[in-house]
Amino acid sequence: MTDPRRTLRTLVLVTATTFALAACQSTPTTPPLLDLPPASASVAPDLERWWTTFNDPTLTALMDEALAHNLDLRAAMVRVDLARSNVLLAQSYLYPSMNLGVDSRRNRMTLVGSQPLPENFNPTNNDYLVGLRASYEVDLWGRYRNGASAARSELLATEYARQTVRTAVAAETARAYFGLLAADAELAMLRDTLQSRDETVALQVDLYQAGLIGDYDLQRAQAERAAVAANVAVAERAVGTYERRWQRSSAVRRARSSPRGSPAT
């Protein structure tokens, strides 16, 4: 006969377990929909010439000059060519080698002897020799295969190094160019501000002489004008530093000789 208390305890245990399992379950969530443009390869910028996206002919000309005349980049390109030659040399040991030889000889017999020679006898004899020799060394221990693999790895390393140098040259050129643009813009703004301060000081002098303002107002205007003049001097030194850096660049010289007086076009 079944014990009712045991049955009740079993029923309570099953119910508690069911609620516990239900509590542990998590409702699956659906990720929100994002309004993104469709992927297209045509909108990806050209990383090899990323500076062309600025549509600045002066910057493009500067990049062409820098990449064509930078000595570090030239040295990196020479190392790539050397590594490529080493790859071809290492791969040549994996195939049979063939040598073609051509030789010619000319012999002349003496006409002096105890036996008479025929009338149509030609004492001169020409010999032509053509030889073809092939050789192949079996790479039992993988020395040549490992050498070719090492040469290819060295080529990849030099190509990555060349790309790194090229990226650094382009980045430094762009940074210096935009620094010159910023220095020019700041100097132009400070000169306009200095002109405004000059007018303010002249007005304050007239008001001071007329007795409408005191010493404090006049001296404050003069101090503000002096502060702007000091900033103008700092900006002029910054522009001079950039100009000395770009003094050999024909692109910058042409741009700065334009009526706008700025490298930007």
Side-chain angles (χ1 to χ4, degrees):
M1 184 174 180
T2 304
D3 189 358
R5 289 180 296 179
R6 179 177 299 179
T7 304
L8 180 60
R9 287 197 301 267
T10 303
L11 181 60
V12 172
L13 181 60
V14 171
T15 304
T17 304
T18 303
F19 280 108
L21 292 176
C24 294
Q25 292 179 353
S26 59
T27 304
T29 59
T30 302
L33 297 178
L34 301 179
D35 187 10
L36 298 177
S40 176
S42 60
V43 299
D46 187 3
L47 296 181
E48 287 293 327
R49 296 180 61 85
W50 52 265
W51 53 87
T52 57
T53 58
F54 291 100
N55 295 324
D56 192 334
T58 303
L59 177 60
T60 302
L62 283 177
M63 289 296 183
D64 294 339
E65 290 182 6
L67 297 178
H69 300 96
N70 185 267
L71 297 180
D72 293 335
L73 185 57
R74 285 186 178 182
M77 295 174 64
V78 170
R79 287 191 291 268
V80 171
D81 294 337
L82 179 60
R84 187 175 290 111
S85 300
N86 290 334
V87 169
L88 296 178
L89 178 61
Q91 290 177 347
S92 65
Y93 294 115
L94 301 175
Y95 305 99
S97 61
M98 303 182 66
N99 297 321
L100 178 64
V102 179
D103 189 15
S104 64
R105 291 181 297 178
R106 186 180 182 90
N107 301 323
R108 181 178 177 83
M109 298 178 61
T110 179
L111 299 178
V112 179
S114 58
Q115 299 294 332
L117 297 174
E119 293 181 357
N120 58 352
F121 178 75
N122 186 7
T124 304
N125 183 24
N126 297 324
D127 294 333
Y128 300 98
L129 301 176
V130 178
L132 180 62
R133 184 177 63 182
S135 63
Y136 177 71
E137 181 179 355
V138 180
D139 190 14
L140 294 177
W141 310 109
R143 180 182 62 175
Y144 296 139
R145 291 193 300 271
N146 294 334
S149 178
R152 287 191 295 269
S153 298
E154 181 66 22
L155 175 60
L156 290 177
T158 54
E159 287 178 346
Y160 280 122
R162 180 193 63 82
Q163 188 64 26
T164 300
V165 174
R166 185 179 185 275
T167 302
V169 171
E172 181 62 21
T173 302
R175 188 194 66 81
Y177 173 72
F178 289 124
L180 178 58
L181 292 184
D184 276 338
E186 182 180 9
L187 180 58
M189 181 188 65
L190 288 174
R191 284 175 175 173
D192 292 340
T193 305
L194 181 61
Q195 182 178 1
S196 176
R197 291 288 186 267
D198 290 336
E199 296 173 355
T200 301
V201 169
L203 178 61
Q204 294 295 87
V205 169
D206 293 340
L207 295 177
Y208 178 77
Q209 292 176 352
L212 299 177
I213 62 173
D215 295 337
Y216 174 77
D217 294 329
L218 177 61
Q219 293 176 1
R220 185 179 66 178
Q222 292 174 343
E224 292 176 351
R225 190 266 177 197
V228 175
N231 293 333
V232 168
V234 174
E236 288 176 345
R237 287 195 299 269
V239 171
T241 301
Y242 284 110
E243 286 179 342
R244 287 190 296 271
R245 178 169 187 171
W246 293 113
Q247 62 183 353
R248 295 184 179 181
S249 173
S250 59
V252 172
R253 288 199 303 268
R254 289 193 302 268
R256 295 186 71 81
S257 62
S258 62
R260 294 183 61 182
S262 173
T265 56

